[in-house]
Amino acid sequence: MAEGLKIDQKHGKSRVRVARVWRKVAGVGDVIVEWNVAVSLFSDCLPAYTSADNSAIVATDSMKNTVYAKAKECTEVISAERFAVLLGRHFTSYYPLVTAAVVNIVEKPWDRVAVDGRPHSHGFKLGSERHTTEVKVEKSGAISITSGIEGLSLLKTTQSGFERFVRDRFTLLPETRERMMATEVTAFWRYPFAHVSDIPGKPFCFTNMYLDVKTVLADTFFGPPVEGVYSPSVQNTLYLMAKAVLNRFADIASVQLRMPNIHFLPVNLSSKDNPNMVKFADDVYLPTDEPHGTIEATVSRTMSRM
């Protein structure tokens, strides 16, 4: 409290871009990660706001330089999640006045290329979807870890419909059992680890978990490779995707999905002489992403805290 006023504050450094290369990793070749790191510190530096006393402030320049120094110290390949935990533990233990740290990382998707059918030892191409994580570490060692994926674009040309929805005088949308289905998935999943000591050691790998979750989300969306799976709504498909992740991975406590319904509108043209003639039927579309429906939900285990 200050002068009868309450101040909730934190400060940090955002958009710290760092790339780390590990050379000649056994059985793999070179490995590269590119991270966009944001750090927020919760600390007892109220006098900086109320009395112009900066003696308790950790400079954001120090935070930025710490990211690079800690990346250098990682002599073995490390996931974004474990790097975020490492940073959070450093800030909360090294600075006495820091009570908690939140570290957000977005990983740029550099994928290894194949040449003549063989993985290249040091060649990479930029992918699309991004691996994200948010880690909060408290001085006590309490921790929360949320990982995610952004920009996962999925589309199927059939096996989708939308029927028996609420109709009123504002409804123009026709019912259908045949439509395109496209979305750009944003997903977040929370791990159940409550303390830094709960985080499993090797062979548990956050990066592999991210890749496996991405595969389960996509496979559930598409269904079997030939016949696919019918989607009666984006809502139902979203739920089945989240449930599949929870059923597959015991180390995930909850899944949050946001799936905009990106529309491909059938183009139907009539002629002047025959206004009832449809020139195109379910094969020519007008792609449009504005406006679009937005469907989102969080699916949790019964005892989950999220």
Side-chain angles (χ1 to χ4, degrees), residues 202-216:
K202 293 181 179 180
F204 182 88
C205 177
F206 286 101
T207 300
N208 289 343
M209 181 72 80
Y210 161 79
L211 295 172
D212 290 343
V213 170
K214 181 171 68 169
T215 297
V216 169

Side-chain angles (χ1 to χ4, degrees), residues 64-136:
K64 177 198 68 177
N65 295 333
T66 299
V67 171
Y68 296 122
K70 291 299 178 182
K72 175 65 176 177
E73 291 176 7
C74 294
T75 56
E76 295 185 353
V77 178
I78 190 172
S79 68
E81 286 87 352
R82 290 193 188 274
F83 187 65
V85 172
L86 184 154
L87 288 175
R89 294 186 72 181
H90 168 81
F91 288 121
T92 54
S93 61
Y94 190 77
Y95 298 103
L97 296 178
V98 172
T99 57
V102 176
V103 180
N104 286 270
I105 298 178
V106 178
E107 182 171 331
K108 207 165 185 176
W110 287 108
D111 298 327
R112 190 177 303 277
V113 300
V115 177
D116 294 332
R118 297 177 56 190
H120 200 280
S121 68
H122 56 272
F124 298 84
K125 63 180 177 64
L126 188 61
S128 55
E129 61 272 0
R130 298 168 299 282
H131 176 188
T132 69
T133 189
E134 178 177 285
V135 174
K136 182 176 182 179

Side-chain angles (χ1 to χ4, degrees), residues 116-217:
D116 294 332
R118 297 177 56 190
H120 200 280
S121 68
H122 56 272
F124 298 84
K125 63 180 177 64
L126 188 61
S128 55
E129 61 272 0
R130 298 168 299 282
H131 176 188
T132 69
T133 189
E134 178 177 285
V135 174
K136 182 176 182 179
V137 181
E138 298 182 20
K139 192 176 285 293
S140 64
I143 197 168
S144 64
I145 303 176
T146 301
S147 293
I149 186 169
E150 296 178 348
L152 178 60
S153 296
L154 304 176
L155 177 151
K156 57 184 185 177
T157 58
T158 188
Q159 285 284 56
S160 174
F162 191 50
E163 303 174 280
R164 298 186 300 276
F165 48 86
V166 174
R167 304 199 70 89
D168 55 39
R169 62 193 180 96
F170 300 109
T171 306
L172 299 177
L173 183 70
E175 297 190 0
T176 181
R177 288 188 61 83
E178 177 57 59
R179 67 173 182 171
M180 299 264 279
M181 184 176 183
T183 189
E184 185 176 282
V185 178
T186 299
F188 302 103
W189 52 93
R190 188 182 62 78
Y191 291 97
F193 316 129
H195 192 275
V196 291
S197 61
D198 297 335
I199 301 173
K202 293 181 179 180
F204 182 88
C205 177
F206 286 101
T207 300
N208 289 343
M209 181 72 80
Y210 161 79
L211 295 172
D212 290 343
V213 170
K214 181 171 68 169
T215 297
V216 169
L217 290 172

